[in-house]
């Protein structure tokens, strides 16, 4: 069984950044990646300093080549099993292969759980978005419908109102809109339609056209704003005995400032531990986790040498 000082599970921005930090410190590193990045549906990544508007898949391709240049090994596949501990060592099984490691980085990302509205999956990542910083400039001055789904929706309406005067709030989930939220929307001059959305409709060219409401009306739209339920992909963490932290927007793996989880030897980075992390923030958390692991390994090596002296 091949042994690595660190195995990184997940090859997105966070996982690759962790691997590069470790590779540059001459650590043996394996990255196991399923090849299903969260932002795959998007054509462009924004707020990426020096690479503004880059295609997300191109960014990851560059990151993989950088990691490989520092001796990092990368394999494609899903991790079937993760067992062990810091004391006994970790064992990872993926696509019929088994590997051992002294440290683990979980950069497994999150899943956007969307409401079951026909057509929404088709628009997601393109004309249906959740983040004003990620996609707001691209829909400036357009007709934007904010789907009222939960506690984040009013905040989204406020954020997008900075980018377009044409905002309408569709109160899809009435129980989520309290008096304070209504007062905010009124102060912003954003009209509220008290109807649920039955379907997202597209024109003959395949572009977003409108939403169909429960009363049969169609409301035209060029862009939708949707608050997904964001849940960390954390089955491997749970299998080790870890527990997830709750957030109004979903669930995540709680870490300290250096990316360490409650399980010794296990680190988490990117959206698995920070639901709101954009590309650069995710990468930064990976770099921090990689540096922390290297420092930890150095400390263990020094202690061993001193014990033998």
């Amino acid at each position: 069984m091949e042994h690595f000082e660190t195995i990184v599970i997940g090859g997105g921005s966070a996982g690759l950044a962790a691997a590069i930090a470790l590779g540059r410190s001459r650590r043996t590193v394996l990255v196991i990646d399923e090849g299903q990045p969260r932002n795959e549906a998007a054509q462009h990544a924004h707020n990426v300093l020096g690479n503004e508007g880059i295609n997300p898949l191109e960014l990851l391709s560059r990151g993989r080549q950088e990691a490989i240049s520092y001796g990092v090994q990368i394999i494609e596949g899903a991790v079937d099993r993760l067992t062990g501990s810091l004391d006994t060592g970790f064992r990872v099984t993926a696509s019929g292969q088994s590997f051992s490691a002294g440290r683990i980085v979980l950069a497994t990302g999150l899943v956007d759980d969307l409401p079951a509205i026909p057509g929404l999956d088709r628009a997601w990542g393109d004309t249906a978005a959740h983040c004003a910083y990620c996609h707001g400039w691209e829909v400036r001055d357009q007709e934007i419908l904010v789907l009222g789904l939960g506690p984040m929706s009013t905040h989204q309406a406020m954020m997008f109102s900075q980018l377009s005067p044409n905002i309408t709030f569709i109160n899809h989930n009435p129980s989520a809109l309290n008096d304070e939220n209504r007062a905010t929307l009124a102060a912003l001059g954003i009209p509220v339609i008290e109807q649920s959305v039955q379907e997202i409709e597209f024109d003959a060219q395949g572009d977003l056209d409108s939403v169909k409401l429960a009363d049969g009306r169609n409301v035209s739209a060029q862009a939708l704003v949707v608050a997904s339920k964001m849940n960390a992909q954390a089955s491997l963490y749970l299998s080790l005995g870890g527990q997830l932290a709750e957030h109004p927007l979903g669930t995540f793996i709680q870490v300290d400032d250096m990316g360490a989880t409650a399980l010794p030897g296990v680190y988490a980075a990117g959206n698995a531990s920070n639901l709101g992390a954009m590309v650069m923030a995710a990468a930064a958390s990976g770099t921090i986790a990689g540096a922390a692991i290297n420092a930890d390994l150095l400390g263990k090596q020094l202690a061993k040498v001193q014990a033998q002296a």
Side-chain angles (χ1 to χ4, degrees):
M1 183 188 308
E2 190 171 3
H3 178 80
F4 295 87
E5 289 172 296
T6 300
I7 291 179
V8 179
I9 303 174
S13 297
L16 290 173
I20 289 169
L22 287 161
R24 284 175 54 83
S25 297
R26 309 191 79 171
R27 298 295 179 183
T28 57
V29 185
L30 173 66
V31 175
I32 305 174
D33 182 42
E34 286 191 58
Q36 297 178 340
R38 179 191 181 199
N39 58 4
E40 184 175 13
Q43 295 300 308
H44 307 96
H46 299 286
N47 304 298
V48 183
L49 188 63
N51 285 288
E52 173 60 27
I54 188 172
N55 182 282
L57 298 183
E58 171 61 23
L59 183 65
L60 293 182
S61 177
R62 293 183 188 181
R64 283 192 292 271
Q65 292 306 312
E66 290 170 3
I68 290 169
S69 74
Y70 292 114
V72 173
Q73 293 187 45
I74 301 176
I75 64 172
E76 294 184 2
V79 172
D80 305 310
R81 193 178 183 198
L82 170 61
T83 58
S85 67
L86 179 62
D87 293 333
T88 64
F90 297 96
R91 180 170 176 170
V92 177
T93 303
S95 302
Q97 303 178 76
S98 292
F99 309 93
S100 61
R103 302 293 185 275
I104 295 293
V105 177
L106 297 173
T108 46
L110 61 79
V111 173
D112 290 292
D113 292 325
L114 300 172
I117 300 174
L120 184 54
D121 283 344
R122 177 178 171 184
W124 184 250
D126 183 15
T127 48
H130 72 289
C131 174
Y133 296 109
C134 301
H135 305 285
W137 175 262
E138 285 64 43
V139 299
R140 65 193 184 281
D141 297 325
Q142 293 184 6
E143 292 180 308
I144 301 173
L145 301 183
V146 179
L147 272 59
L149 301 168
M152 187 65 176
S153 298
T154 303
H155 177 73
Q156 288 178 312
M158 179 175 67
M159 297 298 293
F160 277 86
S161 70
Q162 170 68 19
L163 298 159
S164 174
N166 306 308
I167 307 289
T168 301
F169 191 94
I170 308 294
N171 196 16
H172 183 80
N173 179 15
S175 64
L177 193 63
N178 59 31
D179 291 342
E180 182 181 354
N181 298 147
R182 290 183 182 278
T184 297
L185 294 172
L188 293 170
I190 296 175
V192 178
I193 297 178
E194 301 289 350
Q195 289 286 324
S196 62
V197 176
Q198 297 298 294
E199 187 176 358
I200 311 299
E201 299 192 334
F202 303 84
D203 62 22
Q205 288 71 45
D207 297 323
L208 176 66
D209 180 71
S210 62
V211 300
K212 184 177 181 179
L213 304 179
D215 63 4
R217 281 184 294 163
N218 280 68
V219 180
S220 63
Q222 294 172 287
L224 302 177
V225 177
V226 183
S228 64
K229 190 73 171 179
M230 298 182 284
N231 292 306
Q233 298 199 83
S235 60
L236 296 173
Y237 184 64
L238 295 173
S239 73
L240 291 176
Q243 296 183 340
L244 297 183
E246 298 285 339
H247 187 280
L249 301 180
T251 56
F252 65 99
I253 300 172
Q254 194 159 25
V255 297
D256 67 13
D257 290 343
M258 303 305 291
T261 73
L263 302 179
V266 179
Y267 293 72
N271 285 143
S273 58
N274 182 350
L275 301 180
M278 292 181 279
V279 170
M280 288 195 70
S285 70
T287 300
I288 290 170
I293 290 172
N294 183 56
D296 183 28
L297 292 172
L298 283 169
K300 294 295 190 296
Q301 291 166 345
L302 177 60
K304 184 177 180 180
V305 170
Q306 290 175 331
Q308 294 172 345

